[in-house]
Structure formats: C-alpha cells, structure tokens
Amino acid sequence: SVFAINALSPSAQSESVLPGNLPADTAVPELSPSAPTPTPGLTARIISDSEGIFFPVIRGTGAPGATVTIGQADTALSRVTIDSQGSWSTGQLSDSSIEGTLSLREQSRDGAAVRESSLNYRIQTPSISATLATDSTVIVVKVVGVPGAPVHVTSGNGGVFSSLAAVVLDANGVWSSSFDVGPGGSPQELSVRYAAGNRFGPSVTVVPSTGYTAG
C-alpha cells in the first residue's frame, strides 16, 4: 500500500504564523483597564426574632476599613470596623431604649469621608402583675405577652435580685403561678423580660399589691 503525505509547499510554509510572530500589520488588541470596585453603600438592618422582643442586633454594609458608630441621642452604643468585604455587625445593643431611632455614622479610615444614616425600631415588652395575700404568706405572679415567648421573672429584696422563674408563655400568651413568701418577707418588686440564651429584652418592674386572702 502507498500512503500519501501532504506537505506544505515552501510558499505555504512562509505564510504560516507561528505563536509570537505576528505579521507587522496585525493589530494587537488593547487590554481594557479594570473598572474600580464600587464602594458599598452604607446600609443597616435589624437582625432579630420575628416578634421583636429582644434588644436589637444590627448588620449592614459600608466602605471596607471604615468605622461605623451606632448611637442614640448623644450616647454611642457600639463602634465597629467594616471588614474587607464591606460588611459589619454589632453585638446586642442592650443599652438602647425600648423604642426610638438609632443613628449610624460611617467614617473612613483616614477620617476624611463621613456618611450618615438612621434606623427606627421598637421592642415589645411583657406585662407583669403581682398580688400578695393579706397575711403576706403567698404571692401570685402573672405575666402576659407574646404567645410562646420565653420570659425570665426575677424578684428582689433590698435591690438584690434572684431568679424566680424562667418559663414559656402559653398559647394565649399567659403564665401565672403562686409562691410562698419566705422568711425574708415579700419581695419589694418583681421584674420580667423576654430572655433566651444570650438574647434578652428590656425589663418591666412591678411592686406587689395586697389584694386577696390566702386559703
């Protein structure tokens, strides 16, 4: 058998273009300069439970390396540095009021650029009542709030608080129980707040009233 081998003619070989050997009249494409990465806008949102019962935690975006100060009125509640991805977050702002406006102030690393914004919020709080028996031997405590929400009730004499109950409100948003009054006497006040793990909300305090006869 005879195998035919097709070879390039001298003229065809001279017309071949080898890598890196472009003819003089061949246009070389120009590389476009990469566009600068836009600076993220200053944004913020509250990361909380669906019912809004805990002090707020804030997350947002901004200029990498800048500092964001979160305040209320004339008080700074938190100060954080924006990471290299343009994200930032706070811990729980437990010094904030029950409701109001949080101010946000972003300052660049060199202090030259400043951007400001604000965020409105409101925290739900439970209510509490406490009734002492006329003979001061029993106290009945009742808490009303968001159905299924966890609450922490504390009592105290002389300003020293102790845990009284950590419970979950029923489907109607109610919890009630009676407690024997110990040798130290009736608590001067009782407080309740929503609480679960390391999250909690504002406390509501009541002074026990005398209103029934223990049976």
Side-chain angles (χ1 to χ4, degrees), residues 8-42:
L8 292 174
S9 64
S11 60
Q13 291 178 3
S14 64
E15 294 174 358
S16 298
V17 178
L18 297 178
N21 297 324
L22 294 177
D25 58 348
T26 301
V28 178
E30 295 183 0
L31 297 177
S32 301
S34 58
T37 303
T39 300
L42 178 60

Short mmCIF file of all heavy atoms in Angstrom, two decimals, residues 8-42:
data_model
loop_
_atom_site.label_atom_id
_atom_site.label_comp_id
_atom_site.label_asym_id
_atom_site.label_seq_id
_atom_site.Cartn_x
_atom_site.Cartn_y
_atom_site.Cartn_z
N LEU A 8 3.31 20.92 3.34
CA LEU A 8 3.11 22.31 2.97
C LEU A 8 4.16 22.71 1.95
O LEU A 8 5.33 22.36 2.08
CB LEU A 8 3.20 23.23 4.19
CG LEU A 8 2.08 23.09 5.22
CD1 LEU A 8 2.40 23.96 6.43
CD2 LEU A 8 0.75 23.47 4.63
N SER A 9 3.74 23.44 0.97
CA SER A 9 4.68 23.95 -0.01
C SER A 9 5.51 25.04 0.64
O SER A 9 5.11 25.60 1.66
CB SER A 9 3.93 24.53 -1.22
OG SER A 9 3.16 25.65 -0.82
N PRO A 10 6.68 25.36 0.10
CA PRO A 10 7.52 26.42 0.67
C PRO A 10 6.77 27.72 0.84
O PRO A 10 6.91 28.40 1.82
CB PRO A 10 8.67 26.53 -0.33
CG PRO A 10 8.74 25.17 -0.96
CD PRO A 10 7.34 24.67 -1.05
N SER A 11 5.91 28.04 -0.18
CA SER A 11 5.16 29.30 -0.07
C SER A 11 4.17 29.23 1.06
O SER A 11 3.94 30.19 1.81
CB SER A 11 4.47 29.62 -1.39
OG SER A 11 3.55 28.58 -1.73
N ALA A 12 3.51 28.09 1.24
CA ALA A 12 2.53 27.94 2.32
C ALA A 12 3.22 27.99 3.65
O ALA A 12 2.71 28.54 4.63
CB ALA A 12 1.77 26.63 2.14
N GLN A 13 4.45 27.39 3.71
CA GLN A 13 5.17 27.43 4.97
C GLN A 13 5.56 28.84 5.34
O GLN A 13 5.52 29.24 6.51
CB GLN A 13 6.42 26.56 4.88
CG GLN A 13 6.14 25.07 4.78
CD GLN A 13 7.39 24.26 4.63
OE1 GLN A 13 8.49 24.81 4.65
NE2 GLN A 13 7.22 22.96 4.47
N SER A 14 5.90 29.63 4.33
CA SER A 14 6.30 31.00 4.63
C SER A 14 5.13 31.83 5.10
O SER A 14 5.30 32.84 5.77
CB SER A 14 6.93 31.65 3.39
OG SER A 14 5.98 31.75 2.35
N GLU A 15 3.90 31.40 4.75
CA GLU A 15 2.72 32.15 5.17
C GLU A 15 2.21 31.69 6.53
O GLU A 15 1.31 32.28 7.09
CB GLU A 15 1.61 31.98 4.13
CG GLU A 15 1.96 32.61 2.79
CD GLU A 15 0.92 32.31 1.74
OE1 GLU A 15 -0.04 31.58 2.08
OE2 GLU A 15 1.04 32.79 0.61
N SER A 16 2.75 30.63 7.06
CA SER A 16 2.30 30.16 8.37
C SER A 16 2.72 31.14 9.44
O SER A 16 3.79 31.73 9.38
CB SER A 16 2.91 28.78 8.68
OG SER A 16 2.49 27.84 7.72
N VAL A 17 1.83 31.33 10.42
CA VAL A 17 2.11 32.25 11.52
C VAL A 17 2.39 31.45 12.77
O VAL A 17 1.54 30.68 13.23
CB VAL A 17 0.91 33.21 11.76
CG1 VAL A 17 1.20 34.13 12.94
CG2 VAL A 17 0.62 34.02 10.50
N LEU A 18 3.60 31.60 13.26
CA LEU A 18 3.95 30.90 14.48
C LEU A 18 3.58 31.76 15.68
O LEU A 18 3.53 33.00 15.58
CB LEU A 18 5.45 30.60 14.50
CG LEU A 18 5.95 29.69 13.39
CD1 LEU A 18 7.46 29.53 13.51
CD2 LEU A 18 5.24 28.35 13.43
N PRO A 19 3.30 31.14 16.82
CA PRO A 19 2.97 31.92 18.03
C PRO A 19 4.05 32.93 18.34
O PRO A 19 5.24 32.61 18.36
CB PRO A 19 2.87 30.84 19.13
CG PRO A 19 2.54 29.59 18.38
CD PRO A 19 3.26 29.70 17.06
N GLY A 20 3.65 34.15 18.57
CA GLY A 20 4.58 35.20 18.92
C GLY A 20 5.18 35.90 17.72
O GLY A 20 5.89 36.89 17.85
N ASN A 21 4.92 35.38 16.50
CA ASN A 21 5.46 36.00 15.29
C ASN A 21 4.31 36.56 14.45
O ASN A 21 3.95 35.99 13.42
CB ASN A 21 6.25 34.99 14.46
CG ASN A 21 7.47 34.49 15.22
OD1 ASN A 21 8.08 35.26 15.95
ND2 ASN A 21 7.82 33.23 15.01
N LEU A 22 3.67 37.60 14.93
CA LEU A 22 2.56 38.19 14.20
C LEU A 22 3.09 39.06 13.08
O LEU A 22 4.11 39.74 13.25
CB LEU A 22 1.69 39.04 15.14
CG LEU A 22 0.95 38.29 16.24
CD1 LEU A 22 0.21 39.27 17.12
CD2 LEU A 22 -0.02 37.28 15.65
N PRO A 23 2.45 39.04 11.91
CA PRO A 23 2.85 39.95 10.84
C PRO A 23 2.82 41.39 11.33
O PRO A 23 2.08 41.75 12.23
CB PRO A 23 1.80 39.69 9.76
CG PRO A 23 1.28 38.32 10.05
CD PRO A 23 1.34 38.18 11.54
N ALA A 24 3.62 42.24 10.73
CA ALA A 24 3.75 43.63 11.18
C ALA A 24 2.45 44.39 11.13
O ALA A 24 2.21 45.30 11.92
CB ALA A 24 4.82 44.34 10.34
N ASP A 25 1.58 44.03 10.17
CA ASP A 25 0.33 44.79 10.04
C ASP A 25 -0.81 44.20 10.86
O ASP A 25 -1.96 44.56 10.69
CB ASP A 25 -0.07 44.85 8.56
CG ASP A 25 -0.25 43.46 7.97
OD1 ASP A 25 0.16 42.50 8.64
OD2 ASP A 25 -0.80 43.37 6.85
N THR A 26 -0.53 43.24 11.73
CA THR A 26 -1.58 42.64 12.57
C THR A 26 -1.81 43.49 13.80
O THR A 26 -0.88 43.81 14.54
CB THR A 26 -1.19 41.22 13.02
OG1 THR A 26 -0.98 40.41 11.85
CG2 THR A 26 -2.28 40.60 13.88
N ALA A 27 -3.08 43.89 14.03
CA ALA A 27 -3.41 44.74 15.17
C ALA A 27 -3.42 43.91 16.45
O ALA A 27 -4.01 42.83 16.50
CB ALA A 27 -4.76 45.40 14.97
N VAL A 28 -2.76 44.41 17.46
CA VAL A 28 -2.75 43.74 18.76
C VAL A 28 -3.85 44.34 19.62
O VAL A 28 -3.89 45.55 19.82
CB VAL A 28 -1.39 43.92 19.47
CG1 VAL A 28 -1.42 43.26 20.85
CG2 VAL A 28 -0.29 43.36 18.61
N PRO A 29 -4.82 43.53 20.10
CA PRO A 29 -5.92 44.08 20.90
C PRO A 29 -5.41 44.71 22.19
O PRO A 29 -4.49 44.19 22.83
CB PRO A 29 -6.79 42.85 21.19
CG PRO A 29 -5.86 41.68 21.04
CD PRO A 29 -4.89 42.07 19.97
N GLU A 30 -5.98 45.85 22.50
CA GLU A 30 -5.60 46.55 23.73
C GLU A 30 -6.40 46.01 24.90
O GLU A 30 -7.60 45.73 24.77
CB GLU A 30 -5.84 48.05 23.58
CG GLU A 30 -4.96 48.71 22.54
CD GLU A 30 -5.19 50.21 22.49
OE1 GLU A 30 -6.04 50.69 23.29
OE2 GLU A 30 -4.55 50.89 21.68
N LEU A 31 -5.76 45.86 26.06
CA LEU A 31 -6.44 45.39 27.26
C LEU A 31 -7.11 46.57 27.94
O LEU A 31 -6.48 47.59 28.21
CB LEU A 31 -5.44 44.72 28.22
CG LEU A 31 -4.77 43.45 27.69
CD1 LEU A 31 -3.76 42.94 28.72
CD2 LEU A 31 -5.80 42.38 27.37
N SER A 32 -8.40 46.42 28.21
CA SER A 32 -9.14 47.48 28.88
C SER A 32 -8.78 47.50 30.36
O SER A 32 -8.70 46.43 30.99
CB SER A 32 -10.64 47.28 28.72
OG SER A 32 -10.99 47.26 27.35
N PRO A 33 -8.54 48.66 30.93
CA PRO A 33 -8.26 48.71 32.38
C PRO A 33 -9.46 48.26 33.18
O PRO A 33 -10.61 48.53 32.82
CB PRO A 33 -7.95 50.20 32.62
CG PRO A 33 -8.64 50.91 31.49
CD PRO A 33 -8.56 49.99 30.31
N SER A 34 -9.21 47.50 34.25
CA SER A 34 -10.33 47.00 35.06
C SER A 34 -10.99 48.16 35.78
O SER A 34 -10.34 49.08 36.27
CB SER A 34 -9.82 45.98 36.08
OG SER A 34 -8.83 46.56 36.90
N ALA A 35 -12.32 48.09 35.83
CA ALA A 35 -13.08 49.15 36.48
C ALA A 35 -12.88 49.06 37.99
O ALA A 35 -12.78 47.96 38.55
CB ALA A 35 -14.56 49.01 36.14
N PRO A 36 -12.77 50.19 38.66
CA PRO A 36 -12.59 50.16 40.11
C PRO A 36 -13.81 49.56 40.81
O PRO A 36 -14.94 49.72 40.35
CB PRO A 36 -12.42 51.65 40.47
CG PRO A 36 -13.10 52.39 39.36
CD PRO A 36 -12.84 51.56 38.13
N THR A 37 -13.57 48.84 41.89
CA THR A 37 -14.66 48.25 42.65
C THR A 37 -15.45 49.34 43.35
O THR A 37 -14.88 50.14 44.10
CB THR A 37 -14.12 47.26 43.70
OG1 THR A 37 -13.34 46.26 43.04
CG2 THR A 37 -15.26 46.61 44.47
N PRO A 38 -16.78 49.40 43.10
CA PRO A 38 -17.56 50.46 43.74
C PRO A 38 -17.61 50.29 45.25
O PRO A 38 -17.62 49.17 45.76
CB PRO A 38 -18.95 50.29 43.12
CG PRO A 38 -19.00 48.86 42.67
CD PRO A 38 -17.60 48.53 42.26
N THR A 39 -17.62 51.40 45.97
CA THR A 39 -17.71 51.36 47.42
C THR A 39 -19.14 51.00 47.84
O THR A 39 -20.09 51.65 47.38
CB THR A 39 -17.34 52.72 48.03
OG1 THR A 39 -16.00 53.04 47.66
CG2 THR A 39 -17.46 52.69 49.55
N PRO A 40 -19.34 49.97 48.67
CA PRO A 40 -20.69 49.62 49.10
C PRO A 40 -21.36 50.78 49.81
O PRO A 40 -20.72 51.55 50.52
CB PRO A 40 -20.47 48.44 50.06
CG PRO A 40 -19.11 47.91 49.72
CD PRO A 40 -18.31 49.10 49.26
N GLY A 41 -22.65 50.92 49.59
CA GLY A 41 -23.39 51.97 50.28
C GLY A 41 -23.52 51.67 51.76
O GLY A 41 -23.38 50.51 52.19
N LEU A 42 -23.76 52.68 52.56
CA LEU A 42 -23.96 52.49 53.99
C LEU A 42 -25.38 52.00 54.22
O LEU A 42 -26.34 52.73 54.01
CB LEU A 42 -23.71 53.79 54.75
CG LEU A 42 -23.95 53.74 56.26
CD1 LEU A 42 -23.03 52.73 56.92
CD2 LEU A 42 -23.75 55.13 56.88
#
